Every structure is written in C-alpha cells, then in structure tokens.
Amino acid sequence: MIIVLKAGTAGREIAQVEEKIKSYGLTAHVSRGVERTIIGAIGDERKMQPEAFEGMECVEKVLRILKPYKIVSRDFQKEDTVVTVRGQRIGGGTVALFAGPCSVEGREMMLGIGEKVASSGASFLRGGAFKPRTSPYAFQGLGEEGLRCLAEAREATGLPVATELMDPRDIDLVGRYADVIQIGARNMQNFRLLTEVGRLDKPVILKRGMSATIMEWLMSAEYIASEGNRQIILCERGVRTFETATRNTFDVSAIPVLKSLSHLPVIADPSHATGKMSLVEPLAAAAIAAGADGVMVEVHHDPETALSDGPQSLRPEAFREMVGRLKGIAVAMGKKLGNA
Amino acid sequence: MIIVLKAGTAGREIAQVEEKIKSYGLTAHVSRGVERTIIGAIGDERKMQPEAFEGMECVEKVLRILKPYKIVSRDFQKEDTVVTVRGQRIGGGTVALFAGPCSVEGREMMLGIGEKVASSGASFLRGGAFKPRTSPYAFQGLGEEGLRCLAEAREATGLPVATELMDPRDIDLVGRYADVIQIGARNMQNFRLLTEVGRLDKPVILKRGMSATIMEWLMSAEYIASEGNRQIILCERGVRTFETATRNTFDVSAIPVLKSLSHLPVIADPSHATGKMSLVEPLAAAAIAAGADGVMVEVHHDPETALSDGPQSLRPEAFREMVGRLKGIAVAMGKKLGNA
Amino acid sequence: MIIVLKAGTAGREIAQVEEKIKSYGLTAHVSRGVERTIIGAIGDERKMQPEAFEGMECVEKVLRILKPYKIVSRDFQKEDTVVTVRGQRIGGGTVALFAGPCSVEGREMMLGIGEKVASSGASFLRGGAFKPRTSPYAFQGLGEEGLRCLAEAREATGLPVATELMDPRDIDLVGRYADVIQIGARNMQNFRLLTEVGRLDKPVILKRGMSATIMEWLMSAEYIASEGNRQIILCERGVRTFETATRNTFDVSAIPVLKSLSHLPVIADPSHATGKMSLVEPLAAAAIAAGADGVMVEVHHDPETALSDGPQSLRPEAFREMVGRLKGIAVAMGKKLGNA
Amino acid sequence: MIIVLKAGTAGREIAQVEEKIKSYGLTAHVSRGVERTIIGAIGDERKMQPEAFEGMECVEKVLRILKPYKIVSRDFQKEDTVVTVRGQRIGGGTVALFAGPCSVEGREMMLGIGEKVASSGASFLRGGAFKPRTSPYAFQGLGEEGLRCLAEAREATGLPVATELMDPRDIDLVGRYADVIQIGARNMQNFRLLTEVGRLDKPVILKRGMSATIMEWLMSAEYIASEGNRQIILCERGVRTFETATRNTFDVSAIPVLKSLSHLPVIADPSHATGKMSLVEPLAAAAIAAGADGVMVEVHHDPETALSDGPQSLRPEAFREMVGRLKGIAVAMGKKLGNA
C-alpha cells in the first residue's frame, strides 16, 4: 500500500503514519520527494483497510498495490477452474449452453421447453421458481411447485437444472431440487446469502450486480470461496449506463478481463443484458468470440404470453437455428458448444 | 399505455393487439397515422405489463402513461407524510438530524458519541450492528451486542435509534431494539426483506440503491407500503457514476423530484455519498437547501481508528460546529434543524 | 407525438394544447382517460420540438412516436450502404481492416508499419497527424508533415488512408491528403465540423462520443447526411461507465442495434475502447461476431516508445497472428476479412 | 509515479524500467516486496506519460502521485481567483447571478428580459447567439444579429454579457461583442477552441463536459491557462448518468471538490442540469449552500414559445421571487447575491 501525504506534512505526522503501519505488522518505507512525501507499507496489505489511513488529516490518498481478493485470483490458482455437473462441463474447451424459460409457469410448459432445448443442444436447463420483480404487483414465481417442475424436466432430459435463490431461508428447499444455484444481479452483494451458498457443495452462478465493478464482483466471489465452495461461475449480464436503446449495456470486455484476473469460468446472459430477442444471437456470438465459457438464453414456447421477460425470449425453433450458427463461432474458437 | 406498431403492420396483427388489450379489461383505441399506427389502451394500465406487448412481433415500442407505483405517489396522498418517533419528527418543517458512528464498536464508545451528538442537537442516533462489507475479511459488526449498546444509548439520551437490517432472519432481533429500521443501498431490491419490513409497525429508512432510478426506488417503497407499513423515509446517498473524485455522486436533484412525485419524507446521507469528511458539511447544506427533511451524518470520536468508514466521519466537535452553520440554512428555508 | 396532461387539467388548457398542435400543421386527437387526458398529435412530428409542449404548465410528459433522424434511418433506405474507397470495401460482406499507429511519428515509421500491416491483410491504413490530447503538455501530432507521411505510405502500399480532422480550419489541408476523414469521439457533437464534412465528397468515420446515446450518434450522422454526404461510417469505441478495469466500456450491443436502426456501415475500435493490448483481439473478435463491418486496430513497431497510446498498440507480428484468428470468425459469419 | 510490476518480473526487465525512468530525468527507487516489486520515480512526474510504462510487458499498473494539472491547482496558487468584469464580481464573497434567455430571439425580447432580470438583481446577462443543437433541423441561433442584441442589452442595463463561442473561426466576431465567453459542455475538450480562448484577455466560462471527470475538466482549464488566460470560471451543469427523471444529474459535490483542488471560481447552471423549471430553484439553492460562486439561470418572457429550452426557463416574475429566497441562502453563507 502506498500512502501519499499532503504537501507540507510535518515529521511528527509522518511518524504517526509509520507507527500505524507497524501496528498492522507491516514495514513502513518513507520516501521524501520534492512535492510530496510518500510512504510504502511493505508486507501483506490485505491486513490493513485503506480507510484506516484515509481518515488521517495528513493523508492525501492511499493506493493499493495488491488485489483485495485472493482465493479467486489467477495468482492463487494458475489453471482454469472447470465445473462439471452430471457430466456437463462449463469451461475447459466447452461453451456450456443454458436454456429455458425465465419463469417456470407449469409442468407441461417446463417439460415441453426442456425437451425442445435439450434436443437442440442445450447442456443445462434453466427456469426461475422464485422471481425478483421490481413491482410488488407482478408475478413472483411458483415457488416449490416450480422447483418440482424443474426436477421433472431434469428426469425427462437428463440435463442438470439451474435456478435462482433469493432468500437465505429458502436454501434447504432450493438446494434439494437444484443442481446449480443462481445468485441474481440484485443479490450480488447480499453478503448473508453469499455466505450461505459458500457452505454448500453445489456450483453457484454469481451474476454481476447492475453497477458492480469487476473488482466488487470478484470480492463477492471471494465471499463464497472463503466459506469453502469453489465451484463458482461468474455470469456477465450487462451493466447500467446512460444508454436506453438496450435494457443494460452488455460489458463484453468483462469476459477477457475476468479470464485474466481469475481462474473461474465466465458465462454470459445476453437475454437479460439486452431485453430484446433480436439482440440475443449477436450478443451470444460476441460473448463466445470474446472467450466465454457458456451462454444462458431464455426460451419460451410463446413469448407473447410469457409471465415474465417475454420480449427477450426466443421461440424453441429460433433457438435451434441460433445454436447452429453459434456452433460455427465456437468451432472457430477451437471449442465445443454444449451438446450441439 | 400507448403501443406503437412497426411501419407496415397488417390489420390482422392490429386486431391481435386489440384483443390482448381487451383480455386485460381495458379498451383499445386505434389511431392510424401516416408513418405509424398507434394503439391506446384506456383503463387501469397497471393491470398490464408492458412486456406482454413488447414480446409481440409487430410492436415497435410501448409507452407507459401512468406511474407504476400507487400508494407512495403524490396522486394517492396529497399531503406530506410526517414520521414521528418518540417525539422526534422527520418532515413537516423539521429537518431531522441523525448522527452517530458508522459501526457500533462498543458500549463506552456508543454512549460517548451518543451523548455528544445529542447535546449538539441531533434528534436521532444511528449506528450499525450488522454491517454489509465488500470484503469477507473486514469487520462485520458486533451483532446483538451492538444492538444492546444502541438501546443503552437511547436510554441515556432519550433519542430514538436507527440501525440497519440485512437479513430477514434477523427481523425479530433488530425489531426488538431499533426504533427505526434502515434498509441499506445494497438491499434496496432485496424484495423479501422489503416485504418483511412492510409487515412491521415501525418506520423504515429506505436507502437508494447504488444505481437505482428514482422510479425503481419508489417501486421498492411501494413493496413496503403494499404490505401495510406506510412510515417510509427515503434516503438519498449518492449514485454510481464515472466520477472517481467522490465515492458516489450525490444526486441532490432527487430530493425535489421525490418531493413532487411522492408524499414520503426524504433525507440525505452526505457521509456515504462522498466518503470524505471535508465534503459532509457542504453536501448536508446543499441537501437542506434543496428541501430535504433530514440529514444523516457519521460521527466518530477518533476517525483514524474507526473500524469502518473513518475517512468520512466527523469528530464530535466538528459535528457541533457544523450543526451551528446548518441551522442557518434550515432557518433560511423556514425550518427547524433537529433539536438544535 | 403523445402529450400526457397532468391530472385535473381544465378544458381551457386542453384547448391551448390543441391550438398549439394545429399551429404546427398537425392534427390534435384528445383522449380522456380516468386518470389522465392524453393528446395525440397526428402528422409529421419532426416539425415540432417536444420542448415546445414540455414548457406548458399543464403538461406532464411528452412522448415521441417517430425517430428524430431521417436520412440515416433504415426506414429511409432499406438496403445497406456499402462504402468503397480505392477498391477497398466497408460493408457488403467485407469486414474492413483498418490498421496503423495511433500517431504518425515520422516517415520511416509510417512506411514500416504501413507495409507490415498491408502484408498481413489490412485494407486501410490509419494514423493521426492532429491529436486531441487531454493534456496541453502532451504530444499534439506532426500536423501536415504527418499527413505527407500518410500519403507516402498510401503510395507504397496502395491502401487508402484514414486520419482525424479536429478543426474546421484544417478541412482543406486534411482533405488534400486523406481518403477517409475521421471525426473523433470528442468532436461527435462539434456541429460546425459535422456540417463542414457533410459538404465533402469523401467518406467520414464518425466515432461515438464518450457518453453519446445511439440516438444522439445517429443525429450527428444526420447532420453530415443533411448536407449531402452520405458516405458515413459509424465507429463504436466504447462509452464511459463506472467500470475502471477498462478505459471505456465497449458497447458491443450498439453494433446490432445500429444495423437495425440505420443502413450505415458500423465498425469497431477495440484499441481505444479498452486501452489494453491484451484485450484488442477478444474485442475485435466479439465485434465481428456481433456483425461489425470493420475493425480498426492500433499497431506500433515499438509500443514502449510510442508517443501516444502505446499500451493499447499491437506489434506487427502480434497483429499478423491476430488477423489469422479473426479471419476464422469472419468466415464463420460468412464474410471476408480485409485483404486477409 | 509508482510503477507496480507483475509477479515474477526478472531483474533484466526491472533494469529496463529503471533505465526508462532515468531517460526522463527522474530517479528510480526499486522496492522488492513479497508479492510484487514496485518502482518509484522520484522527480517531476509530469514529464512522463503513464502510458510510456503501461505499454511495457512487465508492468501491472502505474499510479500517479502528482496531479497532472498545475497552473489551475490550489497548490500553485493558494488564494481564490476572483473575476471582476465591468464592476461585477464572481467569487470573493459574491455569488454572481447570470440570467437571460437560452437563445437570443430578437432585439425587443433581449432588451425586455435584460431589463427585468437586471431590476431583480442579476449581475450578468446571458443569451446564446450560436446554439449547439442535437438536431440539424432545429433553430441554430441568430448569429451576429444576436450578438448585436446582447450589446444593446448591455448598454441598456449596464450589465456585462456572456455568450457562447462554438467555432474557432468566430473568435474575433464573438470577442468583439461579449464580455465573458462561454465554452459549452460539448466543446469542453475541443482543444483548438480552448487554445484560442487561452490567448484572449477576457474571462472564459468553461462548462463541464457531459461525462467529464473533474480531473479532465481541470486539464481543459489548464489548456486555457497554459496559453496565458487565467480568468477562468468553471461551470457545473450536470453529468450524464442512468437516471432519466432529470435531463442530467447535477453533481453538487463537484463544487466543494473543485474549491479544494483549484483556486478558480465555480458557478452552477441548474437550468441545463435538470431541464425542468420546477427544479431550478432547489438546485440553485443547493449550489449556493455547497459554496458556489455564482448561478446561471435561464429566463424567458414566454417559455411556451421559446425557440430553445423553454421547459427549463423561468418567467421574469418567477425569477424575481426566486432571487428573494436565494438571497436568504447566500446570506446564511455569509455572502452577497449578485446585485440583489
């Protein structure tokens, strides 16, 4: 950690900063320049909060040298983490293909869509039983009934199922049915929920918060990893910007940035990122070309009557055609696309 | 709701849109222009989700006419909501003054700061017992012990106490000690938590999410109100932008915008908004001048050793001086500042 | 245009709005709902500014139905605009490949890099002679000398050259040397400059402003087109967001969004978007997969000594290898990559 | 400047970085930590561009210690710059009050509004003769005729006039009529224009770019100052964010931040910041309470027929009433408001 002092800081104050650094077990190294004195703290800076120094009168700014996350960093583990669930892989040369409806709306529907996407090459089924909705008056999901439909679709297709957990009180319930647990964008910094899924022995998809920096996102992954669970899959789903032509701005750069900072697999959700079905394919293609280890796509047999997210859902036939084209991109990248 | 159709939409498709509008119990009014056909849906548009139409092939865009929130809107209740707790007011001509440490760090500390801010004019005490921290390795709060310290400080000062609730599993515990429950920025869209506090008979401070629009914020307030609890206080604490000179960008305009859209009281948290103690006073003054019903300020007896948020905390003496100056602004606005 | 009136607007005020609509030559259609009265203005709404109505006391909001741009819209011209310069194409099945240094630093350098990128498959040379720099103390470009170097490189390679114009006073000078004129992000709304290049008979690359919406960007293209010049190429180069891991956030969705709203070709600049050489290839691949008609890449023989933008420049050998891989993506998209 | 090297950087590469630092005339100081080696460059870091090092393979990141601007910084000049024009002050205890129409629409109109705002306490007149408009089809200003009207209004009222310059080719023309030259938000990084006004002996209002950081803004001021002109007034007018309830998000924190980093006066434009007349007064009050040295307000005798920016313009009577209330805030801040 580098601590830059204000111009004209007295020796007595410099000594206080040095003392404080030592109190954390680090070594202080003072360097007096013409315009500024700077102090380097040598040792494991993760033991100190920058705030501890920013609060001092004489401090102009504090610069971190090390990354604040550890277990999830590429420095900690060189080789890529590959997650395998019921024989389906995420990473390691396979672009996983998650598909299914936004919300599970019933047994028939889930089985119907499940079989269609499975036959088109999907490698995971998705579907929400508990739905975070902006409006208290909107459909909130089928709850346990939805989870049961997912489990039936798993039996029918043989594919693992992923579904969202919103409340720590539901962890046993959701854990009983799901193969992969999803933490939604709005809960990326619900630290209690992160701690709970960190204690499970089940893969967790951690979606990026609407305005989370990549560093904060990795810190949330660190919350999970620090409890023991290292089967974490990061999912880019767009960030909030000033642009209104799309619901969110899909941050495609986050994919290669994460691959360089962390060993965790990274997938993309082009459906939520844009909110428009016509943009799903170009963004899924872009994500694969940028190095993603998976894509998650919403599919609905009748988007016009969907209880949630209809405008961004593909019909099963459109999904099948898209898979054909995305496969070409995956092959150009030297990879396999789901079971396609 | 206005539904704009794509150029060249056929009569058959127009009829489908009309049918769909009628199925929600509204009336469709078709208007054919030179370049576009538009369809107005007459009736209570809150019964329909725009998505239901955006998913249709022939639809270019859907424009809402009405606001999606209801109970919290100024249309629903013309007169200002004024919240009174143990004789202290928020709104109705009083600028409430919340003060105290970011985290409760112990009994002595909480009592000491509590008495000092009370004697300087604070009308509410604040202090965190459960702390949402970006890093799993940072101090997470004293938990119930912290709540007990807050209760003691209330006894000693006579002032009501406000503290944060992070987990629905803690609602009974926090409810036993707190006079006002705070929902933090990261939980603004933790809908399960909102539903739970909506069932309490206790005022709730709802902080704005880091990148929440004013509309989403009011929708979260509607979640609480729709469960019955209408003692809701909105708290602006800065939003995330590209600017890095301050931790967040304090959206002072949100204050008058909210006062016009809603009857709920609005307070400001200049400490979290900026992350710098030197900016707390100018922003608190700006908030009061813009019409805020309260300000919440972090005070610590020794910011340099604070376990959290030291850099933005004022010392008790600095707080006392600031109160003197802010009082002048409140008086210029025709208002009273806390107990100052 | 739809004008939504405030609740409780009187008949007299409604009549004033109707009068005003008629004064623009449009027809007013009043529709009284339970909660709101709305007035539709039927006719060419481009004749009216929404502001003219937003200023009225009784108006709650004004909603546009039509797009404010015309010549550049897909409605105006169904088929794609393909730009051809000295035999090289942008669009129409060819992904143009622009390559060269950020700044022209001298004759040798420009010729050296020019020949290398040409032999690797580039179809256009790029290089800045006039450089917009944040600091007045930084290198500002070689000016006319730089333009002469570009012209020599064109002679040597046979490839057309693209360079930036910053000042309307330089238009004749830059026009004498350049085949394609580039308007930088900071000048996207320099309306005088847009008007001037609109009068040229030369293709113009219009970069997206740092925080320009897609609509504003198309309005700037409309400025150029409205003066007569329709050889406009839109260039996505990232937008400003809260994320600091990359210099800008590359908005890959803008590519398919623009292709649907406009007939103009769209290219991408992954070098400026990210500021990091390691991200250039993944973003170039993503742009091509999302449908871009070209990519623009900075190449420098020695990035460590570059006078500007070294960190994001590729070495010629790295460029050659990248072209090989990008070609695979272009082929998967059914397209040709530059002269590769 | 601090240069952080990647883990595992070899001695040979470290030596190269040291060499490079020395080539700029600075001294290198190498510090080997457990996880990272860092190199401090001691001396005037403004001579080096961080990019020169970011381009090196072994460099992880480069941290600036010093501010990149100099003449405009508070370090360079401790005491506040106070600008005085024709006896009217900006700063030094006076909150300047700029008022007038967005666009000059004619002689009568300018004289009428000029006299009304002068009699209400305005200390400067404003009015646009050259207007930057998003649409090529919108009113672009009266040009020289508008400037003549401004000059007449100056004669009639005795107040200095401020108007916008958009094109370096108009500098003599605008300079002949204006007392204060305004550089609009879209031109904040039009570096050629900045250089030209830097050579004038006339105060310049430099508006903040729509997404400019405070550091970039000060760098643009440095462009002007480095040419000799130090009569620079910074004007906050809102930045672009995700929020759509207001046209821009007024960054009130920028006022105290600038006052601490720079000696230049800072004013606020609440009209452009919000785009809504009902928000002008609360934001003007907030700006004054936060320490602004002036406010700029749009006034129009008939906002409903204004050729530009009607929705955010106040009527002269509303302006007069607002001035009365703002005076109370200025007095509470120990200051004088214009000529009120």
Side-chain angles (χ1 to χ4, degrees), chain C residues 39-314:
Chain C
I39 305 183
I42 319 291
D44 184 1
E45 74 180 40
R46 289 184 199 87
K47 293 179 188 160
M48 306 192 306
Q49 294 293 314
E51 300 173 351
F53 296 89
E54 285 166 354
M56 300 180 83
E57 192 61 39
C58 62
V59 172
E60 185 168 295
K61 60 179 171 183
V62 178
L63 305 166
R64 279 177 186 282
I65 299 301
L66 301 180
K67 299 176 180 93
Y69 47 86
K70 189 158 186 168
I71 310 174
V72 302
S73 77
R74 186 63 87 178
D75 285 348
F76 183 82
Q77 180 187 310
K78 289 271 166 285
E79 62 283 3
D80 285 350
T81 288
V82 178
V83 174
T84 307
V85 197
R86 295 177 176 260
Q88 303 293 341
R89 305 180 82 189
I90 304 164
T94 300
V95 177
L97 187 54
F98 292 77
C102 176
S103 299
V104 180
E105 296 171 15
R107 189 178 165 277
E108 301 292 285
M109 176 265 203
M110 191 62 224
L111 283 170
I113 297 176
E115 285 176 3
K116 279 183 177 141
V117 299
S119 74
S120 298
S123 52
F124 287 83
L125 298 185
R126 60 145 291 149
F130 296 103
K131 300 299 305 172
R133 302 302 298 272
T134 307
S135 166
Y137 310 123
F139 174 63
Q140 310 272 325
L142 293 181
E144 186 166 6
E145 188 192 330
L147 295 173
R148 275 194 298 263
C149 300
L150 279 170
E152 271 200 70
R154 171 176 52 210
E155 293 318 304
T157 60
L159 297 184
V161 299
T163 198
E164 181 164 353
L165 172 70
M166 283 175 62
D167 188 327
R169 296 172 300 185
D170 296 333
I171 192 158
D172 291 338
L173 177 65
V174 174
R176 264 204 304 288
Y177 292 98
D179 298 301
V180 180
I181 289 186
Q182 186 177 309
I183 300 294
R186 288 178 183 79
N187 284 315
M188 192 202 85
Q189 291 195 318
N190 184 333
F191 301 117
R192 293 296 190 90
L193 201 58
L194 298 180
T195 299
E196 292 295 340
V197 298
R199 291 169 184 157
L200 287 183
D201 179 23
K202 243 178 219 305
V204 176
I205 293 175
L206 180 65
K207 288 197 149 188
R208 182 180 191 174
M210 224 167 320
S211 63
T213 60
I214 288 175
M215 198 181 89
E216 289 169 339
W217 191 6
L218 287 171
M219 287 305 287
S220 286
E222 185 84 8
Y223 254 96
I224 300 172
S226 71
E227 294 289 335
N229 188 352
R230 298 194 180 170
Q231 298 181 74
I232 306 165
I233 300 135
L234 302 167
C235 180
E236 165 64 29
R237 43 76 73 201
V239 293
R240 182 154 275 181
T241 70
F242 60 84
E243 179 58 71
T244 55
T246 43
R247 189 156 60 175
N248 295 290
T249 298
F250 183 68
D251 182 9
V252 71
S253 327
I255 299 167
V257 168
L258 285 168
K259 301 294 288 180
S260 92
L261 297 175
S262 174
H263 51 84
L264 297 175
V266 183
I267 67 172
D269 176 347
S271 305
H272 280 93
T274 65
K276 283 189 186 160
M277 64 176 90
S278 64
L279 296 178
V280 171
E281 178 171 337
L283 290 211
I288 297 171
D293 298 303
V295 286
M296 182 180 273
V297 175
E298 290 188 357
V299 178
H300 196 283
H301 60 288
D302 184 10
E304 301 185 4
T305 67
L307 293 178
S308 59
D309 281 350
Q312 71 202 34
S313 298
L314 297 178

Side-chain angles (χ1 to χ4, degrees), chain B residues 137 197 200 219 233 311:
Chain B
Y137 310 123
V197 297
L200 287 184
M219 287 305 288
I233 301 136

